[in-house]
Amino acid sequence: MATTRSTKSSETPATKRPRGFAAMDPATQRRIASEGGKASHESGRGHRFTSEEARAAGRKGGQASRSRNGQAGAAS
């Protein structure tokens, strides 16, 4: 018993549109993210980086992304 499926290959594919957070304008995204950060710190769960820790984390992240792109020896 063979079953036939209708495929939509003959129809033009719908364009992929952003959903949820990605569909919001940048100002709304910033406002919501800010509220989340404030709530996290008020509850005591937020990590407070010192400027030294933040600088080291940024440097480490930059080095990791460069080495993944095959540019491990590139100077910054």
Side-chain angles (χ1 to χ4, degrees), residues 1-54:
M1 176 188 269
T3 58
T4 57
R5 288 185 174 175
S6 64
T7 60
K8 296 182 180 183
S9 61
S10 61
E11 298 177 17
T12 57
T15 57
K16 206 169 192 183
R17 300 172 71 186
R19 302 183 324 194
F21 209 65
M24 297 177 192
D25 64 290
T28 305
Q29 289 181 359
R30 258 191 311 279
R31 183 184 55 79
I32 293 172
S34 175
E35 289 174 7
K38 288 175 185 172
S40 174
H41 284 285
E42 285 176 8
S43 69
R45 294 188 196 112
H47 181 76
R48 291 180 178 86
F49 283 106
T50 65
S51 60
E52 309 278 322
E53 290 173 318

